[in-house]
Amino acid sequence: MTLTTTKTHAVHGGTLRYLKHDSAATGTPMTLSVFVPPGEGPFPVLIWLSGLTCTEDNFTTKAGAYGAAAEHGVIIVAPDTSPRGEGVADDPAYDLGQGAGFYVDATQAPWAPHFRMETYVTDELIGLIDAEFPTTKVRSISGHSMGGHGALTLALRHPHLFRSVSAFAPIASPTRCPWGEKALGAYLGPDRTVWADHDATLLIEGGTGQGCFDDILIDQGDADPFLADQLKPELLQAAADAVGQRITLRIQPGYDHSYFFMASFVADHVGFHAARLKD
């Protein structure tokens, strides 16, 4: 695999690159952005997973994370949210298909040939970044909404890969909300026991990843229109309390689901991961 740089920007003393490559996991071209802080490195890595309808550009241009990343000496990697292109299955709705990969490996037609986002992130992307950039081969993961679901489930399912995990407004229990039921049913089929392997609340309840993370930082706005029906962080908190997993769930008054919310607290998340990445 070869990374091709499509754009480069100087920011906060570091370098931001937009890149593309042909993915073996998805069988499609994939795009991403990578911020490398000033200095020679090597640097630890924070992988950011975005939410429904997003590309790599939403976080890159709106989150305002690179000042904190430069201060703490952290590479930030932001991949696209799904495979795209001609011949890639799609759906007219915003919450399924292109832009809505849900960070699972699909097993059902017509999604299975390309929608393999779990393998893409945990295998291909990590290997590519470690091979092409000055990393310490130590990394953490974070994300927003669908990407918060992805960050939590991938960290819990692959704890050996990540030093820490955090999320903004994650879909905390996708087996119990309309977004998740639609996507998991389409990608994984009707067997809900298979869905449970991709539900952060149920993974924690079952002890997956137990003892691997000293804390999980979650920020949630109380003015988020999706809070009650789609996100349900109280289920995640209850599961964590039941098994003794520490979660710092911060309910932020007045904040919604937008990148204005993330931009307000992203420096806290970068600092949270930096402290654990450099232990």
Side-chain angles (χ1 to χ4, degrees):
M1 290 177 290
T2 302
L3 279 172
T4 301
T5 299
T6 59
K7 292 188 292 185
T8 302
H9 301 280
V11 56
H12 290 286
T15 302
L16 174 67
R17 294 168 60 188
Y18 285 85
L19 305 118
K20 64 180 180 180
H21 70 102
D22 292 328
S23 168
T26 67
T28 68
M30 292 296 291
T31 56
L32 64 150
S33 73
V34 178
F35 171 78
V36 179
E40 295 184 3
F43 306 104
V45 175
L46 176 60
I47 295 175
W48 172 269
L49 304 181
S50 290
L52 289 168
T53 76
C54 289
T55 70
E56 76 284 355
D57 200 41
N58 297 76
F59 173 85
T60 305
T61 59
K62 295 180 179 180
Y66 300 133
E71 176 186 350
H72 290 290
V74 175
I75 290 173
I76 298 186
V77 178
D80 198 354
T81 53
S82 78
R84 300 178 192 267
E86 186 177 353
V88 177
D90 200 8
D91 188 273
Y94 75 95
D95 54 355
L96 187 67
Q98 296 185 37
F102 266 80
Y103 304 102
V104 300
D105 286 353
T107 60
Q108 306 298 301
W111 314 104
H114 302 296
F115 281 73
R116 302 185 67 241
M117 290 301 293
E118 180 170 11
T119 293
Y120 176 70
V121 173
T122 61
D123 184 2
E124 188 171 27
L125 181 65
I126 286 174
L128 192 60
I129 296 301
D130 282 345
E132 297 289 333
F133 291 91
T135 79
T136 60
K137 295 183 171 56
V138 177
R139 70 198 66 82
S140 295
I141 192 166
S142 186
H144 168 238
S145 193
M146 177 187 73
H149 141 78
L152 291 169
T153 57
L154 297 188
L156 291 167
R157 286 167 56 82
H158 306 273
H160 61 290
L161 295 177
F162 303 105
R163 186 68 61 85
S164 55
V165 56
S166 73
F168 286 85
I171 302 172
S173 188
T175 62
R176 289 175 279 186
C177 75
W179 279 342
E181 290 176 326
K182 179 178 181 178
L184 297 181
Y187 296 143
L188 302 177
D191 185 351
R192 296 179 73 98
T193 62
V194 176
W195 302 6
D197 289 337
H198 303 277
D199 181 312
T201 296
L202 297 181
L203 289 171
I204 288 175
E205 281 182 359
T208 301
Q210 186 75 15
C212 294
F213 304 107
D214 68 319
D215 192 9
I216 298 173
L217 175 61
I218 297 175
D219 274 304
Q220 172 65 61
D222 72 358
D224 189 323
F226 305 114
L227 176 56
D229 293 336
Q230 302 282 12
L231 306 178
K232 303 184 179 184
E234 71 280 0
L235 298 178
L236 190 70
Q237 183 72 74
D241 290 344
V243 301
Q245 169 63 59
R246 182 178 176 183
I247 287 183
T248 299
L249 173 59
R250 308 193 304 186
I251 304 298
Q252 304 291 1
Y255 285 89
D256 57 21
H257 201 69
S258 72
Y259 267 87
F260 295 112
F261 166 48
M262 281 170 277
S264 300
F265 302 103
V266 72
D268 292 351
H269 285 246
V270 174
F272 171 85
H273 293 295
R276 290 158 176 80
L277 286 165
K278 295 178 181 179
D279 284 348

